[in-house]
Amino acid sequence: MTYLKVEREEEIVQITINRQDKLNAMNLDVMNEFISLLDDLEKDSSKVIIITGDGPKAFSAGADIEYMSSIGPAEAEKYALCGHEVLNRIEKLEKPVIAAVNGYALGGGCELALSCDIRFASPNAQLGQPEVTLGICPGWGGTQRLLRIIGPARAKDLIFSGRKILAEEAFSMGLINKIFPSESLLAETRAYAKAISKNSSFAIGISKMLVNRGTDTNLDTGLKLEIYSWAVCFSTKDREERMRKFIAKK
Ligand code: COA
């Protein structure tokens, strides 16, 4: 991989977007590397994924403006489809994905963070959807995921104004789960990843699916799906062992 640095430590995989000279903007090469990495992550035994950006300045400054400046609708559609494939697959991955937002997360960079399950940030992180300043609307899921995470009024404010918000404001909107000092953001994210990796991967995967499906379904359907998913958990050896250990400790 040229643009994605992949580090594995125990069952935790850290992906660093490595295009610092362009503030980790995601051109087609970056997105294609994500696609082949996801082919592995969907099958391997990793338990938690962390995504961050290289360098002190940016998580990702978004889709590649230089590339977009010279394309028409047909190529734009392909670029959007590619972005959607990556972000949908991250969202549907049956393991937690945490964004460690270490600076600018703009446009596609913000959308990438939105597709993750948890977002941690450093105080200097700046998030936003500045697409309208470039004559386009968000194209990698921003309108839909922002709406679902922070609600329509706040989503429209960010999208219509294109303004960048600091981590503190993003936290107050529920866009960021927690803020850590810049120097400890990655260590804290890894510690959190390690802690959740001790829990049942099966139960976490199924919980992720239930919460994701719950955002787009009615309460009754979501609750029914939870009942059946809960029952399925009782078919695993992992559940048996974890409960047996709890009883044995007593
Ligand atoms: N696509 C392609 N290149 C980008 C980029 C993007 N989204 N964002 C930044 N870059 C490049 C710059 O062109 C520059 O390259 P160069 O050194 O070869 O000229 C390099 O990254 C550094 O960016 P620069 O603008 O000089 O840094 P800055 O600190 O002055 O400003 C930002 C930082 C993030 C405010 C500014 O780069 C920016 O607004 N970027 C675009 C963000 C955006 O609109 N994203 C949504 C795209 S739909």
Side-chain angles (χ1 to χ4, degrees), residues 19-26 57-58 60-68 104 106-109 111 128-131 133-134 136-137 164:
R19 203 184 169 216
Q20 206 185 137
D21 58 328
K22 298 288 178 189
L23 302 184
N24 304 318
M26 294 174 284
K57 246 181 116 173
S60 170
D64 194 297
I65 301 173
E66 203 180 323
Y67 170 66
M68 289 190 293
Y104 292 115
L106 301 174
E111 288 165 315
Q129 298 290 159
E131 287 88 346
T133 68
L134 297 166
I136 54 176
C137 63
K164 304 177 192 68

PDB file of all heavy atoms in Angstrom, residues 19-26 57-58 60-68 104 106-109 111 128-131 133-134 136-137 164, ligand 1:
ATOM      1  N   ARG A  19      -0.880  10.667   3.199  1.00  0.00           N
ATOM      2  CA  ARG A  19      -0.664  11.567   2.050  1.00  0.00           C
ATOM      3  C   ARG A  19      -0.554  12.983   2.616  1.00  0.00           C
ATOM      4  O   ARG A  19      -1.314  13.880   2.271  1.00  0.00           O
ATOM      5  CB  ARG A  19      -1.869  11.433   1.097  1.00  0.00           C
ATOM      6  CG  ARG A  19      -1.561  11.847  -0.313  1.00  0.00           C
ATOM      7  CD  ARG A  19      -2.783  11.794  -1.206  1.00  0.00           C
ATOM      8  NE  ARG A  19      -2.529  12.424  -2.465  1.00  0.00           N
ATOM      9  CZ  ARG A  19      -3.426  13.138  -3.145  1.00  0.00           C
ATOM     10  NH1 ARG A  19      -4.653  13.275  -2.690  1.00  0.00           N
ATOM     11  NH2 ARG A  19      -3.099  13.701  -4.295  1.00  0.00           N
ATOM     12  N   GLN A  20       0.418  13.110   3.523  1.00  0.00           N
ATOM     13  CA  GLN A  20       0.516  14.310   4.341  1.00  0.00           C
ATOM     14  C   GLN A  20       0.689  15.579   3.515  1.00  0.00           C
ATOM     15  O   GLN A  20       0.178  16.637   3.883  1.00  0.00           O
ATOM     16  CB  GLN A  20       1.694  14.140   5.312  1.00  0.00           C
ATOM     17  CG  GLN A  20       1.531  14.965   6.556  1.00  0.00           C
ATOM     18  CD  GLN A  20       2.744  14.913   7.467  1.00  0.00           C
ATOM     19  OE1 GLN A  20       3.148  15.941   7.990  1.00  0.00           O
ATOM     20  NE2 GLN A  20       3.343  13.765   7.675  1.00  0.00           N
ATOM     21  N   ASP A  21       1.410  15.468   2.379  1.00  0.00           N
ATOM     22  CA  ASP A  21       1.656  16.691   1.573  1.00  0.00           C
ATOM     23  C   ASP A  21       0.355  17.259   1.003  1.00  0.00           C
ATOM     24  O   ASP A  21       0.286  18.442   0.666  1.00  0.00           O
ATOM     25  CB  ASP A  21       2.660  16.403   0.441  1.00  0.00           C
ATOM     26  CG  ASP A  21       2.185  15.291  -0.485  1.00  0.00           C
ATOM     27  OD1 ASP A  21       1.487  14.371  -0.003  1.00  0.00           O
ATOM     28  OD2 ASP A  21       2.494  15.345  -1.691  1.00  0.00           O
ATOM     29  N   LYS A  22      -0.688  16.440   0.933  1.00  0.00           N
ATOM     30  CA  LYS A  22      -2.001  16.931   0.460  1.00  0.00           C
ATOM     31  C   LYS A  22      -3.025  16.836   1.580  1.00  0.00           C
ATOM     32  O   LYS A  22      -4.232  16.644   1.354  1.00  0.00           O
ATOM     33  CB  LYS A  22      -2.482  16.107  -0.753  1.00  0.00           C
ATOM     34  CG  LYS A  22      -1.558  16.193  -1.956  1.00  0.00           C
ATOM     35  CD  LYS A  22      -1.642  17.562  -2.634  1.00  0.00           C
ATOM     36  CE  LYS A  22      -0.671  17.651  -3.811  1.00  0.00           C
ATOM     37  NZ  LYS A  22      -0.583  19.027  -4.357  1.00  0.00           N
ATOM     38  N   LEU A  23      -2.554  16.977   2.795  1.00  0.00           N
ATOM     39  CA  LEU A  23      -3.416  16.911   3.990  1.00  0.00           C
ATOM     40  C   LEU A  23      -4.329  15.680   3.984  1.00  0.00           C
ATOM     41  O   LEU A  23      -5.487  15.717   4.367  1.00  0.00           O
ATOM     42  CB  LEU A  23      -4.244  18.200   4.150  1.00  0.00           C
ATOM     43  CG  LEU A  23      -3.452  19.506   4.263  1.00  0.00           C
ATOM     44  CD1 LEU A  23      -4.375  20.677   4.515  1.00  0.00           C
ATOM     45  CD2 LEU A  23      -2.410  19.425   5.379  1.00  0.00           C
ATOM     46  N   ASN A  24      -3.744  14.583   3.483  1.00  0.00           N
ATOM     47  CA  ASN A  24      -4.424  13.273   3.465  1.00  0.00           C
ATOM     48  C   ASN A  24      -5.739  13.286   2.662  1.00  0.00           C
ATOM     49  O   ASN A  24      -6.667  12.529   2.960  1.00  0.00           O
ATOM     50  CB  ASN A  24      -4.659  12.755   4.899  1.00  0.00           C
ATOM     51  CG  ASN A  24      -3.367  12.680   5.680  1.00  0.00           C
ATOM     52  OD1 ASN A  24      -2.347  12.254   5.144  1.00  0.00           O
ATOM     53  ND2 ASN A  24      -3.372  13.105   6.935  1.00  0.00           N
ATOM     54  N   ALA A  25      -5.774  14.164   1.646  1.00  0.00           N
ATOM     55  CA  ALA A  25      -6.937  14.156   0.735  1.00  0.00           C
ATOM     56  C   ALA A  25      -6.991  12.795   0.061  1.00  0.00           C
ATOM     57  O   ALA A  25      -5.964  12.183  -0.240  1.00  0.00           O
ATOM     58  CB  ALA A  25      -6.802  15.274  -0.299  1.00  0.00           C
ATOM     59  N   MET A  26      -8.219  12.338  -0.175  1.00  0.00           N
ATOM     60  CA  MET A  26      -8.399  10.954  -0.654  1.00  0.00           C
ATOM     61  C   MET A  26      -8.714  10.918  -2.146  1.00  0.00           C
ATOM     62  O   MET A  26      -9.858  11.098  -2.555  1.00  0.00           O
ATOM     63  CB  MET A  26      -9.498  10.274   0.163  1.00  0.00           C
ATOM     64  CG  MET A  26      -9.090  10.090   1.622  1.00  0.00           C
ATOM     65  SD  MET A  26     -10.423   9.442   2.647  1.00  0.00           S
ATOM     66  CE  MET A  26     -11.453  10.882   2.848  1.00  0.00           C
ATOM     67  N   LYS A  57      -1.529  17.770  11.189  1.00  0.00           N
ATOM     68  CA  LYS A  57      -2.483  18.770  10.701  1.00  0.00           C
ATOM     69  C   LYS A  57      -3.842  18.226  10.287  1.00  0.00           C
ATOM     70  O   LYS A  57      -4.841  18.921  10.393  1.00  0.00           O
ATOM     71  CB  LYS A  57      -1.870  19.477   9.478  1.00  0.00           C
ATOM     72  CG  LYS A  57      -1.572  20.942   9.717  1.00  0.00           C
ATOM     73  CD  LYS A  57      -0.995  21.587   8.494  1.00  0.00           C
ATOM     74  CE  LYS A  57      -1.912  22.657   7.958  1.00  0.00           C
ATOM     75  NZ  LYS A  57      -1.293  23.425   6.864  1.00  0.00           N
ATOM     76  N   ALA A  58      -3.844  16.989   9.754  1.00  0.00           N
ATOM     77  CA  ALA A  58      -5.102  16.549   9.154  1.00  0.00           C
ATOM     78  C   ALA A  58      -5.411  15.079   9.391  1.00  0.00           C
ATOM     79  O   ALA A  58      -4.535  14.221   9.327  1.00  0.00           O
ATOM     80  CB  ALA A  58      -5.074  16.803   7.640  1.00  0.00           C
ATOM     81  N   SER A  60      -8.208  14.026   7.380  1.00  0.00           N
ATOM     82  CA  SER A  60      -8.251  14.058   5.915  1.00  0.00           C
ATOM     83  C   SER A  60      -8.986  15.314   5.465  1.00  0.00           C
ATOM     84  O   SER A  60     -10.067  15.624   5.974  1.00  0.00           O
ATOM     85  CB  SER A  60      -8.953  12.830   5.341  1.00  0.00           C
ATOM     86  OG  SER A  60      -9.168  13.022   3.958  1.00  0.00           O
ATOM     87  N   ALA A  61      -8.375  16.016   4.500  1.00  0.00           N
ATOM     88  CA  ALA A  61      -9.008  17.239   3.949  1.00  0.00           C
ATOM     89  C   ALA A  61     -10.036  16.894   2.885  1.00  0.00           C
ATOM     90  O   ALA A  61     -10.490  17.775   2.155  1.00  0.00           O
ATOM     91  CB  ALA A  61      -7.951  18.188   3.411  1.00  0.00           C
ATOM     92  N   GLY A  62     -10.373  15.604   2.758  1.00  0.00           N
ATOM     93  CA  GLY A  62     -11.525  15.236   1.938  1.00  0.00           C
ATOM     94  C   GLY A  62     -11.202  14.686   0.575  1.00  0.00           C
ATOM     95  O   GLY A  62     -10.090  14.209   0.326  1.00  0.00           O
ATOM     96  N   ALA A  63     -12.193  14.743  -0.297  1.00  0.00           N
ATOM     97  CA  ALA A  63     -11.999  14.268  -1.674  1.00  0.00           C
ATOM     98  C   ALA A  63     -10.974  15.178  -2.348  1.00  0.00           C
ATOM     99  O   ALA A  63     -10.747  16.315  -1.918  1.00  0.00           O
ATOM    100  CB  ALA A  63     -13.329  14.309  -2.409  1.00  0.00           C
ATOM    101  N   ASP A  64     -10.353  14.662  -3.415  1.00  0.00           N
ATOM    102  CA  ASP A  64      -9.242  15.377  -4.040  1.00  0.00           C
ATOM    103  C   ASP A  64      -9.760  16.474  -4.977  1.00  0.00           C
ATOM    104  O   ASP A  64     -10.304  16.189  -6.047  1.00  0.00           O
ATOM    105  CB  ASP A  64      -8.363  14.374  -4.803  1.00  0.00           C
ATOM    106  CG  ASP A  64      -7.037  15.005  -5.171  1.00  0.00           C
ATOM    107  OD1 ASP A  64      -7.054  15.985  -5.944  1.00  0.00           O
ATOM    108  OD2 ASP A  64      -5.993  14.528  -4.682  1.00  0.00           O
ATOM    109  N   ILE A  65      -9.549  17.732  -4.570  1.00  0.00           N
ATOM    110  CA  ILE A  65     -10.108  18.854  -5.329  1.00  0.00           C
ATOM    111  C   ILE A  65      -9.390  19.012  -6.682  1.00  0.00           C
ATOM    112  O   ILE A  65     -10.013  19.357  -7.686  1.00  0.00           O
ATOM    113  CB  ILE A  65     -10.037  20.163  -4.508  1.00  0.00           C
ATOM    114  CG1 ILE A  65     -10.811  19.990  -3.186  1.00  0.00           C
ATOM    115  CG2 ILE A  65     -10.613  21.334  -5.305  1.00  0.00           C
ATOM    116  CD1 ILE A  65     -10.681  21.151  -2.220  1.00  0.00           C
ATOM    117  N   GLU A  66      -8.089  18.701  -6.691  1.00  0.00           N
ATOM    118  CA  GLU A  66      -7.359  18.832  -7.959  1.00  0.00           C
ATOM    119  C   GLU A  66      -7.964  17.875  -8.999  1.00  0.00           C
ATOM    120  O   GLU A  66      -8.223  18.263 -10.134  1.00  0.00           O
ATOM    121  CB  GLU A  66      -5.888  18.481  -7.714  1.00  0.00           C
ATOM    122  CG  GLU A  66      -4.957  19.090  -8.747  1.00  0.00           C
ATOM    123  CD  GLU A  66      -3.510  18.712  -8.475  1.00  0.00           C
ATOM    124  OE1 GLU A  66      -3.114  18.628  -7.288  1.00  0.00           O
ATOM    125  OE2 GLU A  66      -2.790  18.481  -9.471  1.00  0.00           O
ATOM    126  N   TYR A  67      -8.217  16.638  -8.566  1.00  0.00           N
ATOM    127  CA  TYR A  67      -8.835  15.657  -9.468  1.00  0.00           C
ATOM    128  C   TYR A  67     -10.239  16.105  -9.872  1.00  0.00           C
ATOM    129  O   TYR A  67     -10.601  16.090 -11.050  1.00  0.00           O
ATOM    130  CB  TYR A  67      -8.868  14.283  -8.771  1.00  0.00           C
ATOM    131  CG  TYR A  67      -9.697  13.241  -9.490  1.00  0.00           C
ATOM    132  CD1 TYR A  67      -9.324  12.758 -10.738  1.00  0.00           C
ATOM    133  CD2 TYR A  67     -10.875  12.744  -8.918  1.00  0.00           C
ATOM    134  CE1 TYR A  67     -10.108  11.806 -11.400  1.00  0.00           C
ATOM    135  CE2 TYR A  67     -11.648  11.788  -9.571  1.00  0.00           C
ATOM    136  CZ  TYR A  67     -11.258  11.326 -10.808  1.00  0.00           C
ATOM    137  OH  TYR A  67     -12.026  10.396 -11.466  1.00  0.00           O
ATOM    138  N   MET A  68     -11.016  16.578  -8.872  1.00  0.00           N
ATOM    139  CA  MET A  68     -12.415  16.925  -9.162  1.00  0.00           C
ATOM    140  C   MET A  68     -12.535  18.136 -10.083  1.00  0.00           C
ATOM    141  O   MET A  68     -13.526  18.297 -10.778  1.00  0.00           O
ATOM    142  CB  MET A  68     -13.163  17.217  -7.851  1.00  0.00           C
ATOM    143  CG  MET A  68     -13.409  15.967  -7.016  1.00  0.00           C
ATOM    144  SD  MET A  68     -14.530  16.305  -5.651  1.00  0.00           S
ATOM    145  CE  MET A  68     -13.570  17.386  -4.625  1.00  0.00           C
ATOM    146  N   TYR A 104      -7.743  18.502  10.562  1.00  0.00           N
ATOM    147  CA  TYR A 104      -8.857  18.748   9.632  1.00  0.00           C
ATOM    148  C   TYR A 104      -9.572  17.455   9.248  1.00  0.00           C
ATOM    149  O   TYR A 104      -8.933  16.475   8.864  1.00  0.00           O
ATOM    150  CB  TYR A 104      -8.352  19.392   8.343  1.00  0.00           C
ATOM    151  CG  TYR A 104      -7.839  20.802   8.512  1.00  0.00           C
ATOM    152  CD1 TYR A 104      -6.494  21.109   8.294  1.00  0.00           C
ATOM    153  CD2 TYR A 104      -8.701  21.833   8.869  1.00  0.00           C
ATOM    154  CE1 TYR A 104      -6.019  22.412   8.442  1.00  0.00           C
ATOM    155  CE2 TYR A 104      -8.228  23.148   9.027  1.00  0.00           C
ATOM    156  CZ  TYR A 104      -6.894  23.419   8.804  1.00  0.00           C
ATOM    157  OH  TYR A 104      -6.434  24.693   8.959  1.00  0.00           O
ATOM    158  N   LEU A 106     -12.511  17.325   6.756  1.00  0.00           N
ATOM    159  CA  LEU A 106     -13.389  18.177   5.947  1.00  0.00           C
ATOM    160  C   LEU A 106     -13.948  17.402   4.770  1.00  0.00           C
ATOM    161  O   LEU A 106     -13.263  16.535   4.213  1.00  0.00           O
ATOM    162  CB  LEU A 106     -12.593  19.395   5.434  1.00  0.00           C
ATOM    163  CG  LEU A 106     -11.991  20.283   6.531  1.00  0.00           C
ATOM    164  CD1 LEU A 106     -11.108  21.367   5.919  1.00  0.00           C
ATOM    165  CD2 LEU A 106     -13.089  20.917   7.387  1.00  0.00           C
ATOM    166  N   GLY A 107     -15.176  17.738   4.373  1.00  0.00           N
ATOM    167  CA  GLY A 107     -15.772  17.082   3.213  1.00  0.00           C
ATOM    168  C   GLY A 107     -15.735  15.565   3.375  1.00  0.00           C
ATOM    169  O   GLY A 107     -16.241  15.010   4.352  1.00  0.00           O
ATOM    170  N   GLY A 108     -15.088  14.886   2.410  1.00  0.00           N
ATOM    171  CA  GLY A 108     -14.976  13.423   2.479  1.00  0.00           C
ATOM    172  C   GLY A 108     -14.269  12.948   3.739  1.00  0.00           C
ATOM    173  O   GLY A 108     -14.506  11.831   4.215  1.00  0.00           O
ATOM    174  N   GLY A 109     -13.397  13.787   4.313  1.00  0.00           N
ATOM    175  CA  GLY A 109     -12.699  13.419   5.559  1.00  0.00           C
ATOM    176  C   GLY A 109     -13.689  13.359   6.713  1.00  0.00           C
ATOM    177  O   GLY A 109     -13.654  12.448   7.555  1.00  0.00           O
ATOM    178  N   GLU A 111     -16.889  12.911   6.243  1.00  0.00           N
ATOM    179  CA  GLU A 111     -17.793  11.796   5.901  1.00  0.00           C
ATOM    180  C   GLU A 111     -17.176  10.444   6.272  1.00  0.00           C
ATOM    181  O   GLU A 111     -17.872   9.527   6.714  1.00  0.00           O
ATOM    182  CB  GLU A 111     -18.140  11.851   4.398  1.00  0.00           C
ATOM    183  CG  GLU A 111     -19.076  13.022   4.091  1.00  0.00           C
ATOM    184  CD  GLU A 111     -19.161  13.357   2.611  1.00  0.00           C
ATOM    185  OE1 GLU A 111     -18.098  13.415   1.953  1.00  0.00           O
ATOM    186  OE2 GLU A 111     -20.271  13.575   2.107  1.00  0.00           O
ATOM    187  N   GLY A 128     -16.023  19.668   9.150  1.00  0.00           N
ATOM    188  CA  GLY A 128     -16.950  20.459   8.365  1.00  0.00           C
ATOM    189  C   GLY A 128     -17.246  19.852   7.018  1.00  0.00           C
ATOM    190  O   GLY A 128     -16.589  18.905   6.586  1.00  0.00           O
ATOM    191  N   GLN A 129     -18.294  20.391   6.392  1.00  0.00           N
ATOM    192  CA  GLN A 129     -18.691  19.941   5.041  1.00  0.00           C
ATOM    193  C   GLN A 129     -18.650  21.174   4.142  1.00  0.00           C
ATOM    194  O   GLN A 129     -19.689  21.792   3.874  1.00  0.00           O
ATOM    195  CB  GLN A 129     -20.107  19.345   5.101  1.00  0.00           C
ATOM    196  CG  GLN A 129     -20.267  18.126   5.984  1.00  0.00           C
ATOM    197  CD  GLN A 129     -19.612  16.844   5.479  1.00  0.00           C
ATOM    198  OE1 GLN A 129     -19.339  15.936   6.219  1.00  0.00           O
ATOM    199  NE2 GLN A 129     -19.328  16.770   4.182  1.00  0.00           N
ATOM    200  N   PRO A 130     -17.459  21.527   3.663  1.00  0.00           N
ATOM    201  CA  PRO A 130     -17.355  22.780   2.881  1.00  0.00           C
ATOM    202  C   PRO A 130     -17.688  22.656   1.397  1.00  0.00           C
ATOM    203  O   PRO A 130     -17.388  23.561   0.619  1.00  0.00           O
ATOM    204  CB  PRO A 130     -15.867  23.142   3.064  1.00  0.00           C
ATOM    205  CG  PRO A 130     -15.176  21.854   3.290  1.00  0.00           C
ATOM    206  CD  PRO A 130     -16.166  20.871   3.839  1.00  0.00           C
ATOM    207  N   GLU A 131     -18.331  21.543   0.999  1.00  0.00           N
ATOM    208  CA  GLU A 131     -18.563  21.298  -0.430  1.00  0.00           C
ATOM    209  C   GLU A 131     -19.258  22.450  -1.148  1.00  0.00           C
ATOM    210  O   GLU A 131     -18.919  22.766  -2.288  1.00  0.00           O
ATOM    211  CB  GLU A 131     -19.387  20.009  -0.627  1.00  0.00           C
ATOM    212  CG  GLU A 131     -18.634  18.731  -0.372  1.00  0.00           C
ATOM    213  CD  GLU A 131     -18.656  18.278   1.079  1.00  0.00           C
ATOM    214  OE1 GLU A 131     -19.036  19.071   1.967  1.00  0.00           O
ATOM    215  OE2 GLU A 131     -18.313  17.115   1.328  1.00  0.00           O
ATOM    216  N   THR A 133     -19.027  25.480  -0.876  1.00  0.00           N
ATOM    217  CA  THR A 133     -18.105  26.564  -1.253  1.00  0.00           C
ATOM    218  C   THR A 133     -17.422  26.238  -2.582  1.00  0.00           C
ATOM    219  O   THR A 133     -16.815  27.100  -3.202  1.00  0.00           O
ATOM    220  CB  THR A 133     -17.036  26.823  -0.163  1.00  0.00           C
ATOM    221  OG1 THR A 133     -16.161  25.683  -0.097  1.00  0.00           O
ATOM    222  CG2 THR A 133     -17.644  27.055   1.210  1.00  0.00           C
ATOM    223  N   LEU A 134     -17.486  24.964  -2.985  1.00  0.00           N
ATOM    224  CA  LEU A 134     -16.862  24.537  -4.247  1.00  0.00           C
ATOM    225  C   LEU A 134     -17.915  24.247  -5.326  1.00  0.00           C
ATOM    226  O   LEU A 134     -17.612  23.691  -6.379  1.00  0.00           O
ATOM    227  CB  LEU A 134     -16.026  23.271  -4.007  1.00  0.00           C
ATOM    228  CG  LEU A 134     -14.830  23.406  -3.057  1.00  0.00           C
ATOM    229  CD1 LEU A 134     -14.324  22.027  -2.644  1.00  0.00           C
ATOM    230  CD2 LEU A 134     -13.715  24.197  -3.695  1.00  0.00           C
ATOM    231  N   ILE A 136     -20.529  22.149  -5.070  1.00  0.00           N
ATOM    232  CA  ILE A 136     -21.101  20.795  -5.065  1.00  0.00           C
ATOM    233  C   ILE A 136     -21.757  20.530  -3.700  1.00  0.00           C
ATOM    234  O   ILE A 136     -21.491  21.246  -2.731  1.00  0.00           O
ATOM    235  CB  ILE A 136     -20.027  19.696  -5.349  1.00  0.00           C
ATOM    236  CG1 ILE A 136     -18.836  19.819  -4.378  1.00  0.00           C
ATOM    237  CG2 ILE A 136     -19.550  19.759  -6.799  1.00  0.00           C
ATOM    238  CD1 ILE A 136     -17.779  18.724  -4.536  1.00  0.00           C
ATOM    239  N   CYS A 137     -22.580  19.495  -3.656  1.00  0.00           N
ATOM    240  CA  CYS A 137     -23.143  19.089  -2.368  1.00  0.00           C
ATOM    241  C   CYS A 137     -22.253  17.977  -1.798  1.00  0.00           C
ATOM    242  O   CYS A 137     -21.449  17.397  -2.541  1.00  0.00           O
ATOM    243  CB  CYS A 137     -24.588  18.602  -2.523  1.00  0.00           C
ATOM    244  SG  CYS A 137     -24.757  17.125  -3.546  1.00  0.00           S
ATOM    245  N   LYS A 164     -16.166  25.468   9.371  1.00  0.00           N
ATOM    246  CA  LYS A 164     -15.423  24.436  10.085  1.00  0.00           C
ATOM    247  C   LYS A 164     -15.684  24.620  11.573  1.00  0.00           C
ATOM    248  O   LYS A 164     -15.642  25.742  12.072  1.00  0.00           O
ATOM    249  CB  LYS A 164     -13.912  24.598   9.846  1.00  0.00           C
ATOM    250  CG  LYS A 164     -13.500  24.590   8.395  1.00  0.00           C
ATOM    251  CD  LYS A 164     -11.981  24.844   8.311  1.00  0.00           C
ATOM    252  CE  LYS A 164     -11.518  25.152   6.904  1.00  0.00           C
ATOM    253  NZ  LYS A 164     -11.982  26.431   6.340  1.00  0.00           N
TER     254      LYS A 164
HETATM  255  N1  COA B   1      -7.737  17.977  -2.281  1.00  0.00           N
HETATM  256  C1  COA B   1      -6.523  18.080  -2.867  1.00  0.00           C
HETATM  257  N2  COA B   1      -5.504  18.726  -2.295  1.00  0.00           N
HETATM  258  C2  COA B   1      -5.724  19.305  -1.107  1.00  0.00           C
HETATM  259  C3  COA B   1      -6.965  19.231  -0.441  1.00  0.00           C
HETATM  260  C4  COA B   1      -7.992  18.527  -1.091  1.00  0.00           C
HETATM  261  N3  COA B   1      -9.196  18.357  -0.532  1.00  0.00           N
HETATM  262  N4  COA B   1      -6.866  19.926   0.714  1.00  0.00           N
HETATM  263  C5  COA B   1      -5.611  20.382   0.787  1.00  0.00           C
HETATM  264  N5  COA B   1      -4.912  20.023  -0.302  1.00  0.00           N
HETATM  265  C6  COA B   1      -3.524  20.315  -0.635  1.00  0.00           C
HETATM  266  C7  COA B   1      -3.303  21.762  -1.014  1.00  0.00           C
HETATM  267  O1  COA B   1      -3.604  21.970  -2.378  1.00  0.00           O
HETATM  268  C8  COA B   1      -1.845  21.919  -0.722  1.00  0.00           C
HETATM  269  O2  COA B   1      -1.094  21.301  -1.764  1.00  0.00           O
HETATM  270  P1  COA B   1       0.216  22.038  -2.379  1.00  0.00           P
HETATM  271  O3  COA B   1       1.123  22.207  -1.186  1.00  0.00           O
HETATM  272  O4  COA B   1       0.720  21.079  -3.389  1.00  0.00           O
HETATM  273  O5  COA B   1      -0.260  23.324  -2.905  1.00  0.00           O
HETATM  274  C9  COA B   1      -1.653  21.053   0.515  1.00  0.00           C
HETATM  275  O6  COA B   1      -2.731  20.146   0.539  1.00  0.00           O
HETATM  276  C10 COA B   1      -1.695  21.877   1.814  1.00  0.00           C
HETATM  277  O7  COA B   1      -2.916  22.581   1.832  1.00  0.00           O
HETATM  278  P2  COA B   1      -3.008  24.157   2.099  1.00  0.00           P
HETATM  279  O8  COA B   1      -4.298  24.650   1.585  1.00  0.00           O
HETATM  280  O9  COA B   1      -1.781  24.841   1.601  1.00  0.00           O
HETATM  281  O10 COA B   1      -2.990  24.166   3.700  1.00  0.00           O
HETATM  282  P3  COA B   1      -3.621  25.263   4.645  1.00  0.00           P
HETATM  283  O11 COA B   1      -3.132  24.961   6.022  1.00  0.00           O
HETATM  284  O12 COA B   1      -3.377  26.647   4.123  1.00  0.00           O
HETATM  285  O13 COA B   1      -5.217  25.058   4.609  1.00  0.00           O
HETATM  286  C11 COA B   1      -7.215  23.708   4.629  1.00  0.00           C
HETATM  287  C12 COA B   1      -5.756  23.872   5.116  1.00  0.00           C
HETATM  288  C13 COA B   1      -7.704  22.340   5.073  1.00  0.00           C
HETATM  289  C14 COA B   1      -8.096  24.786   5.296  1.00  0.00           C
HETATM  290  C15 COA B   1      -7.275  23.864   3.097  1.00  0.00           C
HETATM  291  O14 COA B   1      -6.295  23.017   2.526  1.00  0.00           O
HETATM  292  C16 COA B   1      -8.607  23.469   2.497  1.00  0.00           C
HETATM  293  O15 COA B   1      -9.562  24.234   2.611  1.00  0.00           O
HETATM  294  N6  COA B   1      -8.677  22.329   1.845  1.00  0.00           N
HETATM  295  C17 COA B   1      -9.856  21.878   1.150  1.00  0.00           C
HETATM  296  C18 COA B   1     -10.853  21.263   2.109  1.00  0.00           C
HETATM  297  C19 COA B   1     -12.143  20.945   1.384  1.00  0.00           C
HETATM  298  O16 COA B   1     -12.814  21.787   0.860  1.00  0.00           O
HETATM  299  N7  COA B   1     -12.495  19.659   1.356  1.00  0.00           N
HETATM  300  C20 COA B   1     -13.688  19.177   0.761  1.00  0.00           C
HETATM  301  C21 COA B   1     -13.467  18.743  -0.617  1.00  0.00           C
HETATM  302  S1  COA B   1     -15.006  18.296  -1.378  1.00  0.00           S
END
